[in-house]
Amino acid sequence: MHLDLATTSMLAGMALNETPALNTLTPEEARLVFTEINRSMPPGPEQVSSEDCQIPVEGGAIRGRILRPSMTAKSVMVYYHGGGWVIGNIDDYDAVGRHLAETCQAIVIMVDYRKAPEHPFPVPVNDCYAALNWVDTQRSKLRIHDLPLVVAGDSAGGNLAAVMSIKARDESGPEIALQALIYPVTDGRMGAESFTHEDKQLFLTTEIMAFFWDHYADSKTRLDPLASPALTASLADLPPAVVLTAEFDILVDEGRTFAEHLKASGVPVSYRDFAQQMHGFFAMPAALPAAGKAMAWLAQEMDRHLNPTERKDVVVVGAGFSGMYQLHKLREQGLNVQVFEAGSDVGGTWYWNRYPGARVDIESMAYSFSFSDELQQEWEWSEKYSPQPELLKYAQHIADRFDLKSDIAFDTRVASAHFDEDTNEWLVTTECGRRVRAQHLVMATGVLSASKTPDISGRDNYRGETYRTGLWPKEGVDFTGKRVAVIGTGSSAVQAIPLIAEEADDVVVYQRTATFTTPALNHALNKDDASVIKANYAEYRAKQRLNVLGVVDERSLERTMDVSAQERDRRFKAGWESGILPGMLFQFADLQVEQEANDAISEYIRDRIRDTVKDEQTAQDLLPTDYPYGTKRPCIDTNYYETFNRENVSLVNLRRTPIETITQKGIRTAEGEREFDAIVYATGFDAMTGPLLRVDIRGRGGVKLTDAWNDGPRSYLGIAIHGFPNLFTITGPSSPSVLSNMLVSIEQHVDWVSDCIQWMKTEGKATIEPSDSAEQEWAEHTEQLANMTLYPKANSWYMGANVPGKPRMFLAYVGGVGTYRMICDQVAAAGYRGFQAA
Ligand code: NAP
């Protein structure tokens, strides 16, 4: 006999403690001993939520316990604990249930069925069946909706789970998707050879098993198939089974034989015998590492049975503007597409970013789709810069108008995407266990969608309300009468602070880097102005497509220092009063490449801050001085600087007084602790690469994208990656993306990708990917262009500098939207130059 060390040590401990053999005790004493053994084990994972309930059964009610995992559940598992139908209860099994919930991502419902000898066969069977029916009929009340139903149990509980499957089949009961049988008792005759092996008499001995059977059912009734499922006439048409046994267990033969019979009857079966293990090991997950392995194996096999693989032409990840348009385009090409979206609705950025004041900062007439003339003519924007609710409505309108939702799976986050070189397909797996194979994978995951976990010490200490601008609650937040801290002063904070200040009693803004922002001059959109644009939309859109930023305004070709100081001032004033994002930067050609030119415009903005903010120290603290204007994303605002003149708003300059820690009640800096009712983190995103790298993407040879991009992202045209065939990134790193009107860039990328997929179909190509050299050349080109600008001088998210440990490099293509479009078109026209297609 060779048990593993942990199990050996557990048995030795029990021997030293002189744990009595259960068969020498009364049932009450045996129950107490069993409870003692379980109490000595560590509890299960705390993050599992627990709720007890009453389950109606014949003649009364029994206890149930609902254990919900911390992540999205993939199934609901009705669990029948072990203990020979005589001992054990759901408290003894709490840790087991919690481990199962987390490992199997299942809502585990533990059933405290009544025990023998007080309640012999068939009472436990009837209780368990009543519980199963109760779960199935209470789906919406229990919030388990259409999750597949699994019955599971260990030892005598495994017996009950097997019996439930038979009973449900024979009585047309609940539809069971899977039975998980952990070293099940299956045959009351106790005749299997393993009962005769001396070295298998561990924890459960032949005498103890006889003690259990004798209390449960007399020698005749125990032969009833609902007591001994091995004696069932036919095992055909039973649910798929996962059967697990332990090498040194008297029940090993019963479990294995039952698995073989199920298989022979046509039932899909996963079977594994756990070497070096004894009976009961599965129920000791905190003490025995093998139990963790067994649960992981169970989870894997459950996935395999519950989620057969589907086949599509293309999987698109994300249902923001890019994912929606990509779906529409590919459908038009006759392709079968599956979109996965983590949110509960379309909209992407505009679904998640619901913080007060969230609105677009490119004019809505320009920040809108052009692919459908009907759409652009019929849609009416109410403001120059539309607020988030209207942008979300626009996204919803597109989804409805083009009937997109039927191919989008909402509330479904993609966990992994692995390229299968044998079939030239991507195997995409969701966190809920759905698996889809597809020739092409389009990552339409956005560039600012991975909200950064704030890297501030003590964050978890805080007991008040906490919000993140990028993950704002759907129901909104009422700050009335509250003391609110806002950490961060980027675009999100610049929009949110003025509105939070109008509502809250007191607002303290914690600023690490002062921001440059200019007036947005937002206003209701004049219908006549909109009509003029609509009448000339074709021309307007053509301009956008060739413009450097994807807008219609043009950059001056003049150099800043070539004009007089008065003329510079006049132009800067015009920029300040333009009310558009590039209004200042377009005044001269060299503002983002010449330091002297940039110093001039930066000083102009600093003067406007000094003019606006009344308190001298606050004005001084709000002056951005350590990076050139435009090298961090500039903002446009409504009353940002003015807000600091309010009585209820103050500024903490973290350069002078850094945050020491977040406390239970607030924030402590060198100047002491301030208490808050709410902390708003406007601390930004793991931009560009974050949304891609949080999915486990693996290309040829199983190479992980995280490894391929260890030194920073590499991608040809920001669309495709060497070693990752048929994978396309919409507005990916090293494309213009964040330096442009995103809607223009999204349309261009989606059109290009769709054309490429169509070309592959026409040419009969199974795979396409860029060559290493084309990717290298593009990397050098994009870096060279970035180095000609002032961008690398700032610690910005454009440079990856906002995420500790992220490689420092410029993440976008600065050559302009129009130039980039031409390059992409030329690549395609030259038979996808730089790509290898096979
Ligand atoms: P952001 O620009 O990255 O700003 C994050 C802010 O949080 C910065 O002020 C940053 O300071 C601060 N911060 C981060 N970690 C911190 C820490 N540990 N301690 C103190 N301060 C910390 O993020 P964002 O405001 O969410 O905007 C991101 C991008 O989204 C924008 O640049 C823009 O492209 C887009 N956006 C657009 C709109 C729009 O269209 N209207 C609105 C919102 C956002 P440092 O600068 O010192 O790192």
Side-chain angles (χ1 to χ4, degrees):
M1 180 180 62
H2 179 47
L3 287 172
D4 76 4
L5 273 181
T7 314
T8 308
S9 118
M10 155 139 324
L11 276 177
M14 283 165 73
L16 285 175
N17 286 335
E18 296 178 352
T19 309
L22 298 180
N23 57 310
T24 62
L25 306 173
T26 64
E28 290 80 15
E29 289 165 344
R31 285 170 196 153
L32 286 175
V33 167
F34 191 65
T35 299
E36 273 312 305
I37 294 173
N38 284 295
R39 273 215 195 123
S40 65
M41 310 264 181
E46 263 178 30
Q47 66 269 32
V48 172
S49 76
S50 171
E51 180 196 339
D52 279 6
C53 55
Q54 289 290 310
I55 303 172
V57 292
E58 199 185 332
I62 57 172
R63 263 195 323 152
R65 179 163 300 162
I66 305 168
L67 298 167
R68 293 179 195 273
S70 57
M71 63 290 258
T72 315
K74 299 194 273 193
S75 63
V76 56
M77 176 190 281
V78 180
Y79 195 85
Y80 307 113
H81 66 79
W85 311 280
V86 174
I87 62 175
N89 57 50
I90 57 176
D91 298 319
D92 295 341
Y93 266 73
D94 189 72
V96 179
R98 286 172 182 268
H99 279 280
L100 274 170
E102 279 300 274
T103 313
C104 300
Q105 273 184 248
I107 297 171
V108 175
I109 303 186
M110 317 266 289
V111 180
D112 217 355
Y113 55 89
R114 287 172 287 183
K115 313 283 172 325
E118 297 87 338
H119 303 283
F121 177 83
V123 176
V125 169
N126 291 340
D127 282 2
C128 290
Y129 196 60
L132 185 66
N133 277 297
W134 178 78
V135 168
D136 196 44
T137 51
Q138 303 292 312
R139 281 177 172 273
S140 75
K141 208 166 149 211
L142 295 173
R143 290 183 287 120
I144 54 177
H145 306 291
D146 54 358
L147 288 176
L149 186 60
V150 174
V151 288
D154 61 294
S155 193
N159 165 288
L160 291 166
V163 167
M164 289 309 106
S165 304
I166 294 164
K167 216 168 149 54
R169 176 197 65 180
D170 295 346
E171 298 177 18
S172 304
E175 191 183 328
I176 297 173
L178 187 102
Q179 46 179 330
L181 314 179
I182 321 298
Y183 33 73
V185 182
T186 63
D187 191 340
R189 294 172 299 181
M190 289 178 44
E193 206 205 325
S194 46
F195 277 87
T196 64
H197 285 231
E198 205 40 49
D199 59 4
K200 298 191 197 294
Q201 308 282 335
L202 302 169
F203 204 60
L204 178 70
T205 61
T206 305
E207 289 74 29
I208 297 174
M209 194 63 235
F211 163 86
F212 287 146
W213 270 119
D214 289 344
H215 283 306
Y216 184 49
D218 62 35
S219 54
K220 194 160 161 245
T221 45
R222 73 179 63 168
L223 301 182
D224 185 318
L226 293 184
S228 292
L231 304 180
T232 307
S234 165
L235 296 178
D237 302 321
L238 288 175
V242 179
V243 185
L244 177 161
T245 55
E247 183 183 5
F248 297 106
D249 180 0
I250 52 168
L251 294 178
V252 60
D253 286 354
E254 282 192 27
R256 193 189 53 247
T257 312
F258 194 65
E260 283 167 2
H261 287 169
L262 283 166
K263 214 179 230 172
S265 310
V267 174
V269 176
S270 301
Y271 170 71
R272 182 160 160 194
D273 182 42
F274 276 76
Q276 301 183 301
Q277 290 312 316
M278 62 174 186
H279 186 81
F281 83 100
F282 186 86
M284 302 175 192
L288 302 180
K293 285 189 189 143
M295 285 193 188
W297 176 77
L298 171 62
Q300 171 199 304
E301 295 307 301
M302 278 172 62
D303 261 357
R304 217 161 59 78
H305 289 289
L306 295 178
N307 303 297
T309 309
E310 303 158 58
R311 273 212 151 62
K312 301 279 173 182
D313 296 318
V314 187
V315 164
V316 176
V317 187
F321 284 130
S322 39
M324 285 198 293
Y325 179 42
Q326 185 67 82
L327 168 61
H328 173 65
K329 264 306 262 194
L330 294 173
R331 261 197 197 161
E332 280 190 333
Q333 292 174 201
L335 296 173
N336 201 351
V337 184
Q338 176 63 58
V339 181
F340 289 118
E341 167 56 52
S344 308
D345 201 349
V346 294
T349 286
W350 304 109
Y351 172 85
W352 299 104
N353 288 271
R354 299 162 185 254
Y355 59 84
R359 64 178 68 242
V360 64
D361 60 7
I362 301 279
E363 287 169 280
S364 297
M365 293 302 290
Y367 184 90
S368 50
F369 276 130
S370 72
F371 69 84
S372 156
D373 194 44
E374 293 80 11
L375 171 68
Q376 66 181 3
Q377 292 299 335
E378 78 200 3
W379 184 261
E380 292 187 355
W381 297 108
S382 66
E383 295 179 53
K384 173 180 162 192
Y385 297 116
S386 299
Q388 174 271 335
E390 189 166 308
L391 286 150
L392 188 57
K393 271 200 196 111
Y394 177 62
Q396 288 162 341
H397 172 72
I398 292 166
D400 292 341
R401 192 183 199 294
F402 299 102
D403 186 25
L404 300 179
K405 288 194 178 168
S406 55
D407 285 328
I408 304 174
F410 293 104
D411 299 306
T412 309
R413 193 175 279 285
V414 168
S416 66
H418 297 175
F419 187 70
D420 180 343
E421 288 179 77
D422 294 332
T423 59
N424 287 327
E425 285 173 321
W426 283 94
L427 173 60
V428 179
T429 308
T430 72
E431 282 186 357
C432 311
R434 236 181 110 177
R435 295 194 310 196
V436 180
R437 284 180 167 275
Q439 187 185 1
H440 304 283
L441 172 64
V442 180
M443 296 299 287
T445 35
V447 287
L448 291 158
S449 50
S451 177
K452 192 167 71 95
T453 308
D455 44 349
I456 300 176
S457 96
R459 195 170 48 88
D460 296 335
N461 296 335
Y462 184 60
R463 295 282 164 261
E465 300 161 35
T466 299
Y467 303 102
R468 279 156 76 173
T469 47
L471 294 171
W472 203 257
K474 266 189 205 160
E475 60 281 9
V477 181
D478 184 1
F479 288 114
T480 310
K482 293 198 171 142
R483 299 161 301 168
V484 183
V486 179
I487 304 180
T489 50
S491 304
S492 305
V494 162
Q495 291 184 327
I497 288 165
L499 292 182
I500 296 175
E502 280 177 17
E503 214 170 78
D505 258 12
D506 188 44
V507 176
V508 182
V509 176
Y510 289 82
Q511 168 194 279
R512 189 164 67 182
T513 308
T515 198
F516 283 104
T517 167
T518 57
L521 307 181
N522 187 31
H523 54 74
L525 198 59
N526 180 325
K527 273 206 171 173
D528 294 342
D529 290 349
S531 305
V532 172
I533 294 176
K534 283 186 177 180
N536 298 290
Y537 241 148
E539 201 184 316
Y540 186 94
R541 298 300 196 189
K543 256 192 187 172
Q544 284 187 276
R545 288 186 194 117
L546 295 179
N547 179 274
V548 62
L549 295 184
V551 294
V552 288
D553 313 272
E554 299 286 348
R555 196 203 300 263
S556 159
L557 296 176
E558 269 175 298
R559 293 160 63 91
T560 313
M561 293 303 157
D562 285 353
V563 303
S564 67
Q566 288 91 324
E567 176 58 9
R568 270 200 300 277
D569 252 26
R570 192 192 67 73
R571 297 270 198 99
F572 291 158
K573 184 166 185 285
W576 181 264
E577 290 171 355
S578 68
I580 56 168
L581 187 64
M584 305 243 25
L585 288 170
F586 276 4
Q587 294 301 326
F588 293 102
D590 56 354
L591 287 166
Q592 280 175 295
V593 292
E594 290 294 341
Q595 186 64 53
E596 193 186 5
N598 196 287
D599 287 344
I601 197 165
S602 298
E603 191 55 22
Y604 179 89
I605 299 173
R606 286 192 284 265
D607 279 343
R608 299 291 71 73
I609 300 171
R610 292 184 187 104
D611 291 347
T612 312
V613 181
K614 292 184 183 139
D615 178 74
E616 216 169 292
Q617 184 61 55
T618 307
Q620 187 63 25
D621 286 336
L622 284 168
L623 300 182
T625 50
D626 53 0
Y627 62 97
Y629 174 58
T631 55
K632 283 187 137 193
R633 174 71 149 55
C635 312
I636 55 174
D637 69 278
T638 303
N639 296 333
Y640 178 66
Y641 296 122
E642 290 81 350
T643 295
F644 290 91
N645 293 331
R646 292 177 68 107
E647 288 291 312
N648 66 335
V649 176
S650 56
L651 181 72
V652 175
N653 181 344
L654 297 177
R655 301 271 186 214
R656 279 195 280 112
T657 47
I659 293 177
E660 285 176 358
T661 187
I662 309 280
T663 63
Q664 281 197 7
K665 294 185 171 169
I667 298 175
R668 194 169 70 225
T669 66
E671 287 177 349
E673 181 179 348
R674 295 193 66 158
E675 293 184 5
F676 297 105
D677 302 307
I679 298 180
V680 174
Y681 290 95
T683 44
F685 299 85
D686 181 357
M688 309 285 287
T689 51
L692 297 167
L693 295 180
R694 65 180 169 175
V695 177
D696 171 19
I697 297 177
R698 300 186 195 189
R700 285 196 194 280
V703 172
K704 294 179 178 176
L705 187 60
T706 42
D707 289 338
W709 283 8
N710 197 30
D711 298 328
R714 275 185 40 137
S715 151
Y716 184 38
L717 303 172
I719 295 182
I721 305 160
H722 174 68
F724 295 80
N726 302 356
L727 167 67
F728 301 99
T729 53
I730 304 300
T731 62
S734 82
S735 75
S737 69
V738 288
L739 299 183
S740 69
N741 174 348
M742 287 302 283
L743 271 274
V744 174
S745 287
I746 286 169
E747 279 194 340
Q748 185 262 338
H749 260 193
V750 168
D751 289 344
W752 194 94
V753 168
S754 307
D755 288 349
C756 178
I757 290 175
Q758 184 58 43
W759 175 82
M760 287 176 70
K761 199 173 168 189
T762 313
E763 298 289 316
K765 305 287 187 194
T767 59
I768 193 164
E769 70 181 290
S771 69
D772 196 24
S773 58
E775 195 174 85
Q776 176 65 23
E777 202 187 339
W778 184 251
E780 285 165 8
H781 174 58
T782 52
E783 190 186 355
Q784 182 207 6
L785 285 181
N787 287 341
M788 286 161 63
T789 71
L790 300 172
Y791 278 117
K793 290 198 170 185
N795 285 326
S796 63
W797 59 257
Y798 291 142
M799 296 293 298
N802 67 329
V803 177
K806 193 165 170 172
R808 190 182 173 90
M809 64 182 276
F810 196 71
L811 291 168
Y813 176 77
V814 297
V817 165
T819 310
Y820 174 80
R821 175 185 296 273
M822 285 183 193
I823 295 171
C824 290
D825 288 350
Q826 284 167 12
V827 165
Y832 293 91
R833 190 181 57 224
F835 282 89
Q836 296 157 336

